[in-house]
């Protein structure tokens, strides 16, 4: 009998086959997936962070099922329905001083965020960061600088996009003293404004408060706070991309809470819908009210079933899963740091909550892509699903559900330790 992978080869184009594994999955429950060849695998990828409350959480399944009995699609540009309005109410209450627009994917949300910034300021330019991944639509891809492969064949993109250095202190472009953020990362904006784009032509600066695809890099708090002050000085919209780091992932409802900084606009997706296609653009009320009718839209955004799942997911997160993510993230990170002591090829352990990564390097921090791939391959053979991140694909990212337990983390660590031992012996 043909596997799902073999069947897909005949009907899915090569771009659709650029996947991390050849696994065929028939079921998911909690932290585990079950394959078409009878394997049970601990899933620390969770649909690249979309299943923040685990696979098929009973409350999510119940909520989605009930909604399907009443209304599957209505069109949020046409009618209003309970799950859509209720989710907007609960999320804006949790965030404070905000309004929300729902769409389908992270890319769409980021497109919406930059459209909102341009509309609200009537300015043309956007500044993004090196290492950023904001999506694959033409707008979001123009903001992306984590890997040139994403942009290949699609130049030129939308105009007036500029890039700054993100403060990756492990690979800092200037020396780092006492772990403090070098002045270079703040001073670069004066250079950008003096030589490339006038600050009063900049509609928004978009950044991930923890970079995702770029390597799970956490910026210094003082840098994020500087960005808020910089944007206030010039009337620029500060935009956070919380597509991957939002919805409980980092041990807070939204990652921005770690820094004490509120953006003018932020996007989110992945975990907001508990696996259903759903994303959102949040904005301060006075900003969102400048987004006039017809300035943005979409047929499937805010789908009734996805919003019902989102309500159940939010209930689970606020009911204890976020606190669990913070506690289990601290425990997991400590275990990874112990692993680093045992295997010096682990150059860095980083991340917030349950958005963690280890970077594998050779001497002088040279990326060890081959070792990273081999560790991931062996871990899967032993029953643990992982994927990489970073420009050179030499970081292993860990994205367990916010509902993960200590025993499951210990299981993952045992497999990971065994994989390193096998590779390095």
């Amino acid at each position: 009998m043909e596997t799902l992978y073999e069947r897909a080869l005949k009907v899915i184009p090569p771009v659709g086959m650029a996947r991390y594994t050849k696994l065929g999955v028939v079921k998911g429950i909690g932290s585990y997936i079950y394959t078409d060849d009878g394997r049970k695998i601990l899933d620390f990828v969770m649909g690249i962070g979309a299943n923040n409350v685990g696979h098929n959480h009973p409350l999510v399944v119940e909520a989605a099922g009930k909604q399907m009995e009443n209304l599957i699609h209505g069109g949020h540009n046409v009618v209003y329905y309970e799950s859509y309005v209720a989710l907007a109410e609960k999320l804006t209450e949790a965030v404070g001083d905000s309004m929300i627009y729902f769409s389908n994917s992270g890319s769409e949300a980021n497109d919406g965020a930059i459209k909102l910034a341009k509309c609200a300021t009537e300015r043309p330019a956007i500044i993004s960061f090196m290492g950023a991944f904001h999506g694959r639509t033409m707008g979001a891809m123009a903001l992306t600088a984590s890997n040139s492969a994403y942009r290949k064949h699609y130049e030129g993109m939308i105009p007036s996009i500029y890039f700054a250095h993100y403060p990756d202190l492990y690979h800092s472009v200037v020396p780092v003293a006492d772990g403090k953020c070098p002045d270079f990362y703040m001073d670069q904006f004066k250079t950008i404004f003096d030589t490339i784009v006038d600050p009063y032509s900049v509609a928004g600066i978009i950044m991930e408060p923890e970079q995702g695809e770029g390597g799970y890099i956490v910026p210094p708090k003082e840098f994020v706070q500087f960005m808020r002050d910089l944007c206030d000085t010039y009337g620029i919209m500060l935009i956070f991309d919380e597509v991957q780091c939002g919805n409980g992932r980092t041990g807070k409802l939204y990652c921005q809470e770690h820094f004490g900084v509120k953006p003018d606009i932020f996007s989110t997706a992945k975990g907001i819908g508990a696996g259903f296609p759903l994303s959102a653009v949040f904005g301060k009320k006075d900003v969102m009210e400048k987004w006039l009718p017809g300035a943005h839209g979409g047929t499937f955004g805010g789908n009734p079933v996805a919003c019902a799942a989102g309500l159940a997911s939010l209930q689970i997160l606020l009911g204890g899963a976020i606190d669990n993510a913070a506690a289990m993230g601290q425990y997991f990170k400590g275990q990874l740091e112990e692993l680093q002591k045992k295997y010096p090829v682990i150059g860095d352990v980083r991340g917030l909550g349950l958005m963690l990564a280890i970077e594998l390097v050779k001497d002088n921090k040279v990326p060890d892509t081959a070792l990273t791939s081999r560790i991931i391959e062996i871990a899967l053979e032993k029953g643990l699903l992982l994927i990489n991140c970073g420009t050179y694909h030499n970081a292993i990212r860990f994205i367990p559900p916010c509902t993960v337990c200590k025993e499951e983390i210990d299981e993952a660590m045992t497999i990971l330790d065994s994989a390193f031992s096998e590779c390095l012996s």
Side-chain angles (χ1 to χ4, degrees), residues 9 15 70 91 105 117 159 169-170 202 206 218 222 235 255 268 283 295 300 340 345 384 408 410 412-413 418 424:
L9 285 175
V15 69
N70 296 315
L91 284 170
S105 70
L169 301 193
Y170 182 68
V202 178
I206 184 168
V218 181
E222 61 266 32
C255 189
T268 192
F300 289 102
Q340 182 183 31
V345 293
L384 173 64
E408 290 164 344
D410 289 343
M413 289 304 306
S418 177
L424 299 174

Side-chain angles (χ1 to χ4, degrees), residues 113-114 117-118 121 123 125-129 134 143 162-166 186 188-189 192-193 197 199 201-209 223-224 226-232 234-241 263-266:
I114 62 171
K118 287 170 174 278
T121 63
R123 299 178 183 181
I126 301 288
I127 296 175
S128 184
F129 285 89
H134 295 296
L143 305 168
Y162 305 95
F163 290 92
H165 289 281
Y166 193 87
M186 279 72 84
Q188 65 177 321
F189 288 94
I192 290 169
F193 293 157
V197 59
S201 293
V202 178
I205 299 177
I206 184 168
M207 66 176 292
E208 299 158 275
F223 177 80
V224 182
F226 165 82
M227 293 306 304
R228 177 68 277 171
D229 292 340
L230 180 77
C231 288
D232 287 342
Y234 295 107
I236 297 168
M237 297 286 104
L238 178 61
I239 308 168
F240 282 172
D241 175 343
D264 301 292
I265 302 164
F266 75 95

Side-chain angles (χ1 to χ4, degrees), residues 20 53 61 129 133 138 146 154 159 167 199 218 228 266 268 289 307 312 320 339 372 375 397 401 404 410:
Y20 290 101
V53 296
V61 173
F129 285 89
F133 180 84
M138 291 302 288
S146 60
Y154 302 121
V218 181
R228 177 68 277 171
F266 75 95
T268 192
E289 286 170 348
C307 285
L339 194 71
T372 306
I375 293 291
R397 51 177 149 172
V404 73
D410 289 343

Side-chain angles (χ1 to χ4, degrees), residues 73 76-77 84 100-117 133-144 158 206 239-244 265-270 272 276-282 288 291 295-303 306:
H73 174 68
H76 70 159
N77 289 340
Y84 173 86
I100 188 171
Y101 179 87
F102 292 118
S103 49
N104 302 289
S105 70
S107 297
E108 284 185 53
N110 284 328
D111 279 5
I114 62 171
K115 287 173 69 177
L116 174 57
F133 180 84
H134 295 296
R136 297 175 189 261
T137 57
M138 291 302 288
M141 185 170 51
L143 305 168
T144 291
I158 63 173
I206 184 168
I239 308 168
F240 282 172
D241 175 343
E242 294 223 26
V243 168
Q244 189 164 170
I265 302 164
F266 75 95
S267 60
T268 192
K270 293 191 183 290
I272 192 175
F276 283 85
L278 185 65
S279 65
V281 180
F282 286 84
M288 284 295 240
W291 217 0
H296 193 50
T299 299
F300 289 102
N303 170 267

Side-chain angles (χ1 to χ4, degrees), residues 52 74 120 130 136 168 208 212 214 216 224 235 253 262 287 293 295 302 378 382 393:
N52 270 13
M130 300 301 296
R136 297 175 189 261
D168 175 0
E208 299 158 275
Y216 279 33
V224 182
L253 181 58
K262 188 174 179 64
V287 175
I378 293 173
K382 295 177 181 293
H393 307 301

Side-chain angles (χ1 to χ4, degrees), residues 352-364:
L352 298 168
L354 290 172
M355 187 172 174
L356 300 172
I358 55 175
E359 182 169 349
L360 306 190
V361 295
K362 303 175 184 178
D363 292 339
N364 299 317

